[in-house]
Amino acid sequence: MLLLRMAFRNLFRQYRRTILTALSIGGGYIVFVLSVSLVEGSYGNVIDIFTKDSVGHIQIHRKSYREKPKTYLTIDNRKELEELFHKESKIISFAPRVLSMALAYGKEKSTPVKVLGIDPNLESGVTRIKEKIFSGDYFDSIPNADGYYKAMIGSSIAKSLKINIGDELILIGQGAEGSIANDIFIVSSIVGNEDSFDRMTVYLPLIASQSFLSLSDEVHQYALLVNTPKRNVEIADELQETLSNLEVAPWQRIETTFYQTMQADKKGNNYTLVLIVFLVFVGVLNTILMSVLERTKEFGVIRAIGCRPSKLILLINLETMFLTFLSISLSLVIVIPMIYWFANTGFLLSEPIDMGGVMFQHMRGEFSLYVFLKPMIIIFITSMLVSLPPGFRAARMTPKNAMDIN
Amino acid sequence: MSMVIEIENLTRKYGKGIGEVVAINEISLNIEYGEFTAIIGPSGSGKSTLLNLIGGLDKSDSGSVLLAGRDIAKMSGSQMSDFRRDRIGFIFQAYNLIPVLSAEENIEYIMLLQGIPSVKRKERVQEMLFLVGLEGLGHRRPSELSGGQQQRVAVARAMASKPEIILADEPTANLDSKTGMALLDMMRQLNEDQGVTFVFSTHDEMIMKRARRLIHLRDGLVALDERNSNATP
Ligand SMILES: Nc1ncnc2c1ncn2[C@@H]1O[C@H](COP(=O)(O)OP(=O)(O)O)[C@@H](O)[C@H]1O
Ligand SMILES: [Mg+2]
């Protein structure tokens, strides 16, 4: 095509300048892709760490339980529900939980604790609880010879009650019908450290917690993991439709503070990206302006022989688009393997960093169409916008004035 | 005979106050279809300004230019562009070809603007090159052609769109006299064979002898408008 050939040759007229511009567009694109990959990757990472610590991707409760966490507000159609979870391919795992508060007694002291009844097998499919055992062994649901169940306790409980593995732990709380609940448990392990969210939590096997609270086979909560964590909100909405008597909430609605902190952080990153785009913008604008100014006379001739003003703008635009296309295509050759490595291997930071309360040390990017496409679209739009003012300038002059310029 | 160019009280001034120059001063004149007219006069007499105003490349201060009956002041930017593209051919003093395009492509470009299909364009390019005697040189860039050859390409480009009028501003000024004469002969041939109206400016005695009508400009005024009955063949 003659127009493309023309654009191409015009670019190589001042090839040194063209190469510099191409480098600034390409460099801008690479930095842009890297930062989008980093932002998406590390937030993906943080979300992964955060959700698998306890919340999961989606939580289900009895309606109004979250506003008023009464022990009797339970989910009781468990069989039906779990069949649904098994059938739904988007759900990869689920964990039933019983929640309560209690007073814990060690040898001489007492402290208020959170009681979390979990199914030992199912829970480890949703959270990293197994890897968080600090000492002792991950528990099971089998009572010992005396009929006592095992309990796993947070570090702060162990410290303040001065109890250790093998010791007895007495819990006193309130059962579902208001009766006093009390039971003895044997400490099987200590979980996490004193920074963990569960430092004041007592984990009980699900059946033990149910009998402690005089519940039948009921639970207060289900935590779910889904196959596409990024679409958990949609999946939660879908589930909500079928489970109208329950509340289905994505983690973003459960942990609002964390979510908002993260969003704010992300916004901060966007300013960096705006700066990159601006720098590319200035560099490109300068070149296009120069190359248009130099060719004012030529544009005058083109207009004189009958090129419409709008077509001239298009021609100038085409040149810029073409340059942008070439620069980005070449950059892709470099940036695709780079991001591939970044997403699959990544690197270890010398110091772990704290992102919204979650520590992480392994930096990994994201490798997805979005990571490449978003910067591409933004840079294309930017360079198109950039080439408009010089184009308008060239189109507005009378051909005579344009041709007079030397 | 009907007029292809009708000019009435046309005025173009440059600058303001004491520095004001009246480049074209209330000129009125008509040119018929098929004429071969030279605008002559010393440097600064307003030849280029007049040709630019006729072609709509410049804006007048007052007066009117009608091309084929249409007032160009009343046309929009795109309409004027389309009119130039389809009905006027331009040849400038400085060859003014597009440097990144080869001779062929320069000729083709205007037809591209006209929306002529590729195969037809290519055919006509060869025809035009033959017409101006540049067969075989079509692939050369302007920088690889002599001045006379470049000006022939400019003529071919002006002819390619099949215009009714060709406006040429001192087309021979940068050529040696032999080459200039040859170019003019070619232009006259095209005028006779194809009936294209030519208006060209010159201050070369030899060149003006070839014209059939001579419009003498002096200080932006028509000093003399004469028929040259014994134009050299
Ligand atoms: N862009 C311009 N700015 C100011 N004066 C101009 C401009 N173009 C032409 N002129 C003046 O207008 C007059 C006519 O110029 P021009 O039409 O170029 O004459 P010619 O082509 O016969 O040599 C001259 O006095 C010239 O100085
Ligand atoms: Mg002149």
Side-chain angles (χ1 to χ4, degrees):
Chain A
M1 214 181 120
L2 187 58
L3 278 182
L4 271 182
R5 243 174 2 216
M6 208 164 145
F8 187 78
R9 287 180 202 161
N10 274 323
L11 286 179
F12 285 90
R13 242 157 126 172
Q14 289 274 358
Y15 70 95
R16 218 174 298 172
R17 192 171 65 204
T18 301
I19 287 170
L20 277 175
T21 317
L23 284 178
S24 74
I25 297 175
Y29 178 68
I30 291 176
V31 175
F32 204 163
V33 170
L34 269 173
S35 39
V36 173
S37 170
L38 175 68
V39 168
E40 291 303 315
S42 51
Y43 284 104
N45 227 328
V46 166
I47 290 169
D48 189 62
I49 292 171
F50 181 78
T51 51
K52 288 184 182 160
D53 206 27
S54 158
V55 255
H57 297 144
I58 291 174
Q59 285 196 352
I60 300 176
H61 300 91
R62 174 86 165 264
K63 270 208 170 125
S64 86
Y65 177 83
R66 288 205 303 128
E67 293 97 75
K68 205 164 36 122
K70 297 284 182 201
T71 304
Y72 62 83
L73 289 173
T74 56
I75 301 170
D76 44 21
N77 54 336
R78 287 191 56 199
K79 225 176 152 177
E80 205 182 308
L81 209 54
E82 292 184 12
E83 262 167 30
L84 175 81
F85 296 158
H86 281 298
K87 262 205 314 235
E88 178 54 76
S89 60
K90 288 173 189 162
I91 297 170
I92 54 175
S93 59
F94 61 90
R97 292 166 181 172
V98 163
L99 313 170
S100 178
M101 299 296 290
L103 212 55
Y105 287 85
K107 282 168 188 133
E108 46 215 52
K109 281 180 156 180
S110 70
T111 182
V113 295
K114 255 177 87 174
V115 174
L116 189 53
I118 57 172
D119 180 311
N121 293 323
L122 293 176
E123 185 69 22
S124 62
V126 173
T127 65
R128 276 183 306 263
I129 178 114
K130 239 178 181 167
E131 296 135 53
K132 268 173 58 182
I133 304 295
F134 173 72
S135 61
D137 296 315
Y138 188 59
F139 68 6
D140 53 39
S141 306
I142 304 159
N144 69 4
D146 301 324
Y148 299 145
Y149 282 101
K150 292 164 190 141
M152 305 198 292
I153 59 174
S155 301
S156 299
I157 300 175
K159 202 173 164 193
S160 67
L161 298 184
K162 297 200 179 71
I163 51 174
N164 215 321
I165 293 161
D167 291 343
E168 286 186 356
L169 175 80
I170 299 159
L171 291 181
I172 299 181
Q174 201 174 35
E177 309 93 40
S179 56
I180 298 279
N182 66 330
D183 257 322
I184 296 174
F185 300 92
I186 306 296
V187 175
S188 72
S189 44
I190 293 166
V191 180
N193 56 36
E194 286 185 73
D195 290 325
S196 308
F197 79 96
D198 51 2
R199 58 187 175 274
M200 292 302 288
T201 299
V202 173
Y203 288 96
L204 299 179
L206 195 66
I207 30 170
S209 66
Q210 285 166 337
S211 80
F212 173 65
L213 296 172
S214 326
L215 294 171
S216 54
D217 195 17
E218 311 151 63
V219 297
H220 296 115
Q221 179 181 86
Y222 271 100
L224 313 181
L225 290 189
V226 295
N227 57 356
T228 40
K230 281 197 156 178
R231 314 182 69 145
N232 71 325
V233 177
E234 282 165 55
I235 299 173
D237 289 346
E238 280 170 35
L239 274 175
Q240 183 67 79
E241 303 231 326
T242 42
L243 305 174
S244 51
N245 58 330
L246 300 173
E247 186 212 17
V248 183
W251 68 263
Q252 292 90 332
R253 242 182 21 241
I254 306 281
E255 297 287 346
T256 42
T257 321
F258 174 78
Y259 182 61
Q260 278 158 10
T261 317
M262 216 186 72
Q263 290 299 98
D265 223 78
K266 238 178 163 174
K267 226 176 234 161
N269 274 301
N270 277 336
Y271 293 121
T272 327
L273 298 187
V274 168
L275 190 71
I276 297 171
V277 173
F278 181 74
L279 289 178
V280 173
F281 188 93
V282 169
V284 176
L285 180 66
N286 184 48
T287 324
I288 297 172
L289 210 57
M290 272 190 2
S291 79
V292 169
L293 285 181
E294 283 174 355
R295 287 187 288 148
T296 303
K297 196 180 170 128
E298 201 175 308
F299 292 140
V301 175
I302 291 177
R303 292 266 289 110
I305 65 173
C307 177
R308 286 184 181 188
S310 55
K311 254 197 175 149
L312 186 60
I313 295 173
L314 211 70
L315 183 79
I316 293 169
N317 218 320
L318 189 71
E319 261 176 49
T320 316
M321 291 292 99
F322 199 56
L323 178 61
T324 308
F325 175 77
L326 286 181
S327 314
I328 288 184
S329 305
L330 288 178
S331 309
L332 277 175
V333 177
I334 303 169
V335 85
I336 288 176
M338 230 159 112
I339 298 295
Y340 186 79
W341 171 85
F342 190 33
N344 287 291
T345 312
F347 51 86
L348 280 175
L349 298 170
S350 51
E351 291 273 312
I353 53 171
D354 185 337
M355 284 180 101
V358 178
M359 307 298 280
F360 86 113
Q361 199 168 9
H362 196 164
M363 284 285 238
R364 272 207 188 123
E366 184 177 289
F367 187 90
S368 65
L369 198 59
Y370 174 80
V371 162
F372 296 102
L373 221 52
K374 179 187 174 181
M376 203 181 282
I377 291 169
I378 290 180
I379 290 192
F380 260 109
I381 292 175
T382 308
S383 58
M384 198 176 81
L385 290 179
V386 155
S387 73
L388 283 181
F392 275 112
R393 184 192 170 276
R396 236 192 3 250
M397 290 180 99
T398 63
K400 137 102 177 144
N401 284 340
M403 285 191 295
D404 272 354
I405 287 169
N406 287 305
Chain B
M1 230 189 145
S2 64
M3 301 300 165
V4 63
I5 301 170
E6 296 166 77
I7 297 169
E8 217 178 292
N9 294 328
L10 194 66
T11 300
R12 175 67 163 108
K13 299 172 188 165
Y14 288 111
K16 277 196 179 110
I18 352 174
E20 187 182 86
V21 176
V22 184
I24 294 295
N25 195 353
E26 300 211 19
I27 286 184
S28 297
L29 60 88
N30 295 329
I31 292 173
E32 287 172 17
Y33 279 99
E35 282 200 72
F36 195 70
T37 305
I39 295 171
I40 59 177
S43 173
S45 57
K47 304 183 295 293
S48 300
T49 306
L50 183 59
L51 285 169
N52 287 337
L53 289 171
I54 294 173
L57 304 182
D58 192 11
K59 289 203 166 82
S60 66
D61 292 291
S62 60
S64 61
V65 175
L66 269 60
L67 296 180
R70 291 178 65 190
D71 186 346
I72 64 169
K74 294 200 176 108
M75 293 190 214
S76 72
S78 313
Q79 282 171 337
M80 189 67 234
S81 298
D82 291 355
F83 193 94
R84 278 202 297 267
R85 180 190 69 195
D86 297 331
R87 305 177 73 165
I88 308 177
F90 282 100
I91 302 165
F92 303 98
Q93 176 179 345
Y95 323 118
N96 282 355
L97 299 174
I98 299 166
V100 291
L101 299 184
S102 68
E104 283 172 344
E105 289 165 339
N106 262 286
I107 301 167
E108 189 186 344
Y109 183 63
I110 188 158
M111 293 186 277
L112 180 76
L113 291 175
Q114 287 181 305
I116 293 172
S118 171
V119 180
K120 260 198 147 159
R121 291 201 305 259
K122 300 256 166 7
E123 257 175 44
R124 187 147 173 84
V125 163
Q126 294 314 317
E127 246 175 71
M128 289 294 111
L129 283 173
F130 176 78
L131 208 64
V132 299
L134 290 177
E135 312 97 296
L137 297 182
H139 57 276
R140 292 205 189 168
R141 295 278 179 92
S143 59
E144 297 163 342
L145 294 169
S146 73
Q149 288 170 328
Q150 285 181 57
Q151 209 56 318
R152 281 158 186 268
V153 176
V155 173
R157 178 176 72 183
M159 291 292 299
S161 58
K162 302 193 173 166
E164 291 150 55
I165 312 163
I166 289 185
L167 302 173
D169 190 9
E170 304 206 34
T172 59
N174 290 337
L175 305 178
D176 62 67
S177 63
K178 207 176 131 212
T179 318
M181 215 57 93
L183 185 83
L184 211 81
D185 287 340
M186 191 185 77
M187 281 166 46
R188 215 170 86 173
Q189 200 66 49
L190 291 172
N191 167 257
E192 281 163 12
D193 296 350
Q194 325 230 352
V196 184
T197 310
F198 270 84
V199 183
F200 61 96
S201 67
T202 184
H203 57 245
D204 185 321
E205 297 279 338
M206 293 295 285
I207 297 291
M208 58 184 88
K209 277 187 190 145
R210 293 286 212 274
R212 298 225 179 69
R213 178 178 173 190
L214 295 172
I215 297 171
H216 298 253
L217 279 193
R218 200 161 307 260
D219 298 330
L221 292 162
V222 178
L224 182 66
D225 187 349
E226 56 171 345
R227 299 280 156 181
N228 182 17
S229 46
N230 50 357
T232 38

